[in-house]
Amino acid sequence: MSRPAPSAEGSPRAEAPRGTVAAEASPLLGAALDLTANLELEAVLEGFVLSAARLTGATYSAIGVLDNRGETSTFVQHGVTPETARLLGRPPRGHGLLGAIPADDYLLLDDLAEHPSFRGWPEHHPRMRSFLGVPVRVHEQVYGRLYLADKPGGFTRADAEAMEQLAGAAAIAVENARLYTAARDRERWVAVSQEITTTLLEGTEEEEALAMIAARVREVARADAALIVLPSVGGTWVCEIADGVGAQDVVGAVFPPEGRAMTVLANGTGMIVDSLSRARSMRVPALGRYGPALYAPMVARGTGAGVLILLRLQGEPEFTGTELTMAEAVAAQAALALELASARHAQDVASLLDERQRISRDLHDLAIQQLFATGMQLESARAQVVGAGGDLGWLSTVLEDGLTSVDESVRQIRSIVHSLREPDTAVSLVERLRRETSLARTGLGFAPSLVIDVDGQDLGSEAEEEHLVDAVDNRVDADIADDVVAVVREGLANAARHARSSSVQVRVSVHGAGPAGRVAIEVEDDGAGVDPGSTRRSGLDNLAVRARRHRGTFSLGTTTSGQGSLLAWQVPLT
């Protein structure tokens, strides 16, 4: 306890006259009312230190707001010139003498340099003598500490008691400002959530929508950077979207399976980190520049779709529990909206394919049949002209040209019908396979890997890409290419339905050409393995039929490691 503070002579300071507090009651009440009438936290803190200096006559006053480690996170002062503050640089951390202020009492000193906890003056710091420190408590927790220094004649117990009362009023004002800020932030979070849902359901492309989510959430959370980590090749998780400070340095960063992001995703609950810069080991080096962090899982119906990470630079305030709650809600809603948007896109594609089928049926059943009938009539007329003899060569020529036009029209319509029924025929086989693995991401919850090789040479660098893509199309005819796409599609669908895997790899190999060549497909997962009771037999029978039709082979079994399943399909290039 520090109430009976010693005087300069070492004797206890005399009790302040009873009239002192009464005389100051009116200014103190006015200052308290001014504080509690303000709803902006920054203005509350500035008004608090200014009122404390005016009421006590202190030359210097300041409040240090504490974080959950007991260190200063916000420092507001009065009396030190801006130039001196600039020279001092970082504000005090709240240790030493400042840390000696009791949690439930005040610290009153005639000469602060004589206190055992005094650690000396920082360079450029003005010299001070008398000192008064008072805790500011909000909900029985020390929110911050009020520091007063250099009052002519020294501080009195009346000053200390008045500051305790003012600190109580400041605590109420801080709480009111917190509630007001929380309500305002909640409105902003709700508005962002609605904007995200509307944008996704309007049919915005996924990448564009994710970029918008990162930008808007970063803004509403007052973060310096926002990241979205998504599943990638080989079971890895990578930062695909980033917005804010250092965004370009973080995009593409791989997040380890034992890191915070994956822990949050596995547990389904968010996490607040006081400072990444204090981490003993930095598994993602690109995050080393940041301080406070917030992790929110993007989970829809129990399936993790990604992780939203908000970051602030070192020295910035930590994220609050309220911000975590709102970020979790927005992340979950974004995950659900993405899933709904994906389903809507699939429905649109299905509708488009249905319309293609209807048009192709109409062309086949109506237009072609009418052309056939017309052709038969022209053929009959030509035969009659030839049989009649006479000089009707010009008419025979006209009929012959008409028959040629009918045949050409039939060929063109058949080509249109084929393109409508198989809209992918104009696209390379490699691109069609890449599209299948990309679409499978929704069902699997992660992106499967795709490896394509021609005679043992993988499609990798751009310099080799075009040559190898052409080689695949030249060697694999259209009929086999359609079956290759169907096999890969069925293999990925089977893994999504039954495997419960964390990674799926598709390997397509083209070796040789002609009857001696072959195309082989393997779809391997690390899931639960083959379950004959749950595996969809119709799909597997379909793959077997496709293999037999080309005199090839098909099998579905367990991988050599004994975990997961391996689908193998192979046919000759005839």
Side-chain angles (χ1 to χ4, degrees), residues 434-459:
R434 287 173 175 168
R435 185 186 302 172
E436 290 298 328
T437 55
S438 177
L439 292 173
R441 177 176 180 170
T442 300
L444 291 168
F446 56 86
S449 66
L450 173 65
V451 178
I452 303 174
D453 75 85
V454 180
D455 296 331
Q457 186 176 6
D458 292 346
L459 271 73

Side-chain angles (χ1 to χ4, degrees), residues 51-69:
S51 296
R54 289 175 175 173
L55 289 173
T56 60
T59 303
Y60 305 102
S61 62
I63 181 174
V65 179
L66 306 180
D67 58 23
N68 58 11
R69 297 179 309 277

Side-chain angles (χ1 to χ4, degrees), residues 45 147 454-455 543:
L45 298 179
Y147 316 129
V454 180
D455 296 331
L543 299 186

Side-chain angles (χ1 to χ4, degrees), residues 356-407:
R356 286 176 178 269
Q357 292 290 344
R358 185 192 64 78
I359 295 173
S360 69
R361 284 195 305 270
D362 290 347
L363 287 173
H364 182 272
D365 297 341
L366 301 177
I368 289 182
Q369 295 302 324
Q370 289 178 357
L371 285 172
F372 272 139
T374 302
M376 293 176 66
Q377 291 174 347
L378 290 174
E379 178 65 28
S380 176
R382 186 176 67 85
Q384 291 178 12
V385 168
V386 173
D391 188 15
L392 298 176
W394 63 272
L395 182 56
S396 178
T397 301
V398 171
L399 292 175
E400 191 70 36
D401 291 343
L403 286 171
T404 301
S405 297
V406 168
D407 291 340

Side-chain angles (χ1 to χ4, degrees), residues 206-350:
E206 181 176 314
E207 184 172 351
E208 181 182 348
L210 290 174
M212 184 274 292
I213 291 172
R216 296 292 289 118
V217 172
R218 180 186 66 80
E219 178 184 350
V220 73
R222 292 183 290 275
D224 294 298
L227 318 178
I228 296 180
V229 180
L230 299 172
S232 187
V233 177
T236 60
W237 289 75
V238 176
C239 175
E240 300 282 1
I241 304 294
D243 182 82
V245 179
Q248 296 304 317
D249 299 331
V250 185
V251 171
V254 178
F255 284 70
E258 68 277 8
R260 295 185 182 92
M262 295 303 97
T263 300
V264 163
L265 194 64
N267 296 336
T269 57
M271 175 190 301
I272 294 176
V273 180
D274 54 6
S275 181
L276 294 176
S277 61
R278 295 192 182 94
R280 295 181 179 178
S281 61
M282 183 59 64
R283 296 186 178 94
V284 184
L287 301 183
R289 69 188 299 173
Y290 302 104
L294 182 153
Y295 293 74
M298 298 173 62
V299 178
R301 298 190 299 179
T303 301
V307 181
L308 171 66
I309 304 177
L310 299 177
L311 302 165
R312 289 174 179 158
L313 295 175
Q314 298 180 25
E316 294 297 321
E318 297 176 18
F319 291 96
T320 65
T322 300
E323 289 172 326
L324 175 60
T325 300
M326 298 304 297
E328 286 178 323
V330 169
Q333 187 167 6
L336 181 59
L338 281 175
E339 184 177 350
L340 292 175
S342 178
R344 191 176 67 85
H345 175 70
Q347 185 178 10
D348 290 344
V349 171

